Amino acid sequence: MATWSNLNLQNSVSPLMEQLSFFHDHTLLILLMITILVAYIMISLFFNEFTHRFLLEGQTIEIIWTILPAIILIFIALPSLRLLYLLDESMEPIITVKTIGHQWYWTYEYTDFSTPYEFDSYMLPFNKSNNNNEFRLLDVDNRTILPMLTQIRLLVTAADVLHSWTIPSLGVKIDATPGRLNQTNFLLNRPGLYYGQCSEICGANHSFMPIVIESINTKTFIKWINNMNM
């Protein structure tokens, strides 16, 4: 999760987030090279007392600084387009979870099983918490339990106003729109707790509807869902 000393992206938990991190580093390296080149040229101009006799008209340099940025943009655009298609690719989901945004909490529905299971997820008030290991404004009373190494389809909607279901470490940010059902797919690489928050300003308590995913192994998930349906 993000901490006060973390200036980079969160550690990836899904293959899509890994690709997003690689693209971030790829683009950042190109920007760094451009910044160094432009800074070098500007500094050299400041300290150069001479004037080039072809400075006012140079066809060659104009061709270079027209073609070179186009080539650089191609090197950025091709990985970006590939990543966009990967994000929109529809996988064969094993489990479908529906989440509904409310002011100001989330409702989750597991509908793939013989007995559908549904629960509300509210933020835990920090002054009522008895556990020092809980995170302020991030922990909830009912976590979203999901199996790792399983293709999961998430259906997102809202009951009142616009919300946004976001888990940064998964690379997932999907709008919850009233009257519309949005869909995304993801896969959890490893077990753990992964935190997120509503990323669409939805009212007075917008900052108080966090999201917590608990990733567990498949056998433990089956036991959990069986216990919930009893």
Side-chain angles (χ1 to χ4, degrees):
M1 62 178 291
T3 60
W4 64 273
S5 60
N6 186 10
L7 301 178
N8 209 337
L9 298 174
Q10 295 187 24
N11 293 332
S12 60
V13 187
S14 67
L16 290 179
M17 186 57 190
E18 289 179 0
Q19 295 296 320
L20 286 169
S21 299
F22 292 151
F23 178 69
H24 169 268
D25 296 340
H26 167 78
T27 309
L28 201 62
L29 182 60
I30 293 176
L31 292 176
L32 183 62
M33 294 169 61
I34 294 172
T35 304
I36 293 173
L37 178 62
V38 172
Y40 170 76
I41 294 174
M42 291 182 65
I43 292 172
S44 64
L45 287 175
F46 278 124
F47 292 100
N48 191 358
E49 298 178 356
F50 300 101
T51 301
H52 199 281
R53 61 176 179 169
F54 297 125
L55 181 64
L56 298 179
E57 184 179 355
Q59 298 295 331
T60 304
I61 189 64
E62 288 185 7
I63 291 173
I64 291 174
W65 70 37
T66 302
I67 294 177
L68 189 60
I71 295 173
I72 292 173
L73 288 176
I74 290 173
F75 275 98
I76 296 175
L78 290 179
S80 176
L81 289 173
R82 172 181 169 273
L83 191 53
L84 283 174
Y85 280 107
L86 279 176
L87 291 173
D88 287 336
E89 187 176 358
S90 181
M91 303 290 184
E92 285 293 333
I94 298 177
I95 293 176
T96 299
V97 178
K98 182 180 179 182
T99 177
I100 305 170
H102 302 268
Q103 289 180 313
W104 289 271
Y105 64 96
W106 298 96
T107 298
Y108 296 93
E109 299 177 4
Y110 294 75
T111 57
D112 287 338
F113 306 96
S114 56
T115 305
Y117 177 54
E118 177 182 346
F119 61 89
D120 297 329
S121 181
Y122 288 87
M123 187 192 73
L124 284 177
F126 188 73
N127 55 355
K128 296 182 180 179
S129 175
N130 297 321
N131 189 350
N132 294 328
N133 295 324
E134 293 173 352
F135 293 102
R136 178 178 176 269
L137 303 183
L138 280 179
D139 272 298
V140 295
D141 54 357
N142 292 312
R143 294 169 177 167
T144 310
I145 311 295
L146 293 173
M148 64 178 185
L149 303 177
T150 302
Q151 194 65 41
I152 297 164
R153 175 173 62 182
L154 185 73
L155 303 176
V156 182
T157 188
D160 34 47
V161 299
L162 287 174
H163 300 277
S164 185
W165 197 89
T166 307
I167 300 287
S169 56
L170 285 176
V172 173
K173 181 179 184 293
I174 181 168
D175 290 337
T177 309
R180 179 173 178 176
L181 204 60
N182 292 327
Q183 172 181 308
T184 188
N185 294 275
F186 59 87
L187 182 142
L188 295 156
N189 280 340
R190 58 181 183 270
L193 291 176
Y194 307 107
Y195 296 87
Q197 290 176 302
C198 176
S199 298
E200 185 75 36
I201 297 176
C202 57
N205 290 333
H206 158 69
S207 300
F208 303 99
M209 48 183 304
I211 304 158
V212 182
I213 286 183
E214 183 174 350
S215 175
I216 58 179
N217 62 59
T218 307
K219 291 183 178 179
T220 308
F221 175 78
I222 293 172
K223 291 180 181 178
W224 173 79
I225 202 70
N226 287 333
N227 291 333
M228 291 300 104
N229 291 329
M230 289 178 62

